[in-house]
Amino acid sequence: MKPLIAGNWKMNGLQSAKQEIERLIEKFSGAAPDDRDVLICPPATLIAGFAANYSDEAIQIGAQDCHPETSGAHTGDVSAEMLADAGAAFIIVGHSERRADHGETSDIVRAKAQAALRAGLTPIICVGETREEREAGEALNIVGDQLDGSLPETGAEIVVAYEPVWAIGTGLTPTLEDIGDMHDFIRSKTPEGTRLLYGGSVKPGNAGEILAITNVNGALVGGASLNADDFYPIIKAAPGAM
Ligand code: PGA
């Protein structure tokens, strides 16, 4: 399976952030890697400009969220069709920050994943347990319930990202064994061929060992995707010829 290294910029990035993508492309020195997919999900304001300028450079552009409906009276929201129109190829749905900050339930996440598919885009569906849930020995149950509730029924490509909430932005990561166990479990519950990303404090220093775990097919990277000096070694760490 071709690894997918995805950057989630969250609410970071002005127009000037294009310099960071240009620095990343420079590091590829013209020879774009074809044995791994590289994706950047900037804030919505940057999607169209980035997609227009960089999609030819083997960097795909994605979104961080969408509304389930195609159009209508939903002030401030953006539909999957609009994101497709802007040049996005993927949409992250169900990130724990949205589940927590916006009360997104698994039903809503599934509707958003279906919206992405309806627009011809690939949803990256996020799941993950909190620290309390892991300490209570509930991590597999919680993630299992999130998968049961959030995954759309489809024959089209989906991506699943396992992001333990307590590992996001904290510098903490599960043991390699715990990541492996969770990914084996997620593999058993997802359609064949689904790429499974690990996310939560992926850095240049730990990317190689995480990306080498069976059933880890890539990474969803927050903080370290914001600058090319950190993101490039993570992209390079994915198994392959690069
Ligand atoms: P982090 O974020 O890499 O900054 O921990 C990951 C994410 O939230 O997708």
Side-chain angles (χ1 to χ4, degrees), residues 106-159:
S106 286
D107 278 348
I108 295 173
V109 175
R110 177 169 18 217
K112 292 183 172 197
Q114 280 163 340
L117 293 165
R118 181 188 68 218
L121 306 187
T122 303
I124 301 177
I125 302 159
C126 302
V127 295
E129 81 287 353
T130 63
R131 176 190 293 281
E132 295 72 35
E133 289 160 348
R134 174 155 290 272
E135 283 170 359
E138 288 295 316
L140 291 181
N141 284 340
I142 295 292
V143 168
D145 285 351
Q146 289 174 341
L147 291 169
D148 290 344
S150 311
L151 262 47
E153 296 221 351
T154 177
E157 186 194 3
I158 61 167
V159 175

Side-chain angles (χ1 to χ4, degrees), residues 37-209:
D37 288 329
V38 179
L39 171 68
I40 289 182
C41 301
T45 48
L46 298 181
I47 290 173
F50 281 10
N53 284 310
Y54 307 119
S55 290
D56 288 349
E57 311 276 358
I59 293 180
Q60 301 186 74
I61 302 301
Q64 301 172 14
D65 179 47
C66 67
H67 191 279
E69 307 286 330
T70 312
S71 61
H74 303 287
T75 302
D77 279 314
V78 176
S79 72
E81 282 74 9
M82 292 168 178
L83 296 165
D85 186 48
F90 291 79
I91 306 179
I92 299 170
V93 296
H95 190 282
S96 62
E97 287 153 15
R98 294 207 59 87
R99 288 183 189 257
D101 298 354
H102 299 268
E104 289 191 6
T105 61
S106 286
D107 278 348
I108 295 173
V109 175
R110 177 169 18 217
K112 292 183 172 197
Q114 280 163 340
L117 293 165
R118 181 188 68 218
L121 306 187
T122 303
I124 301 177
I125 302 159
C126 302
V127 295
E129 81 287 353
T130 63
R131 176 190 293 281
E132 295 72 35
E133 289 160 348
R134 174 155 290 272
E135 283 170 359
E138 288 295 316
L140 291 181
N141 284 340
I142 295 292
V143 168
D145 285 351
Q146 289 174 341
L147 291 169
D148 290 344
S150 311
L151 262 47
E153 296 221 351
T154 177
E157 186 194 3
I158 61 167
V159 175
V160 172
Y162 168 56
E163 298 204 306
V165 177
W166 53 273
I168 294 175
T170 58
L172 303 172
T173 51
T175 63
L176 299 180
E177 195 185 349
D178 284 345
I179 296 174
D181 288 348
M182 183 61 83
H183 278 244
D184 292 349
F185 171 68
I186 297 174
R187 172 68 66 224
S188 74
K189 291 184 70 75
T190 46
E192 211 185 320
T194 302
R195 287 189 285 189
L196 308 183
L197 313 185
Y198 168 78
S201 296
V202 176
K203 308 278 179 223
N206 62 16
E209 57 189 15

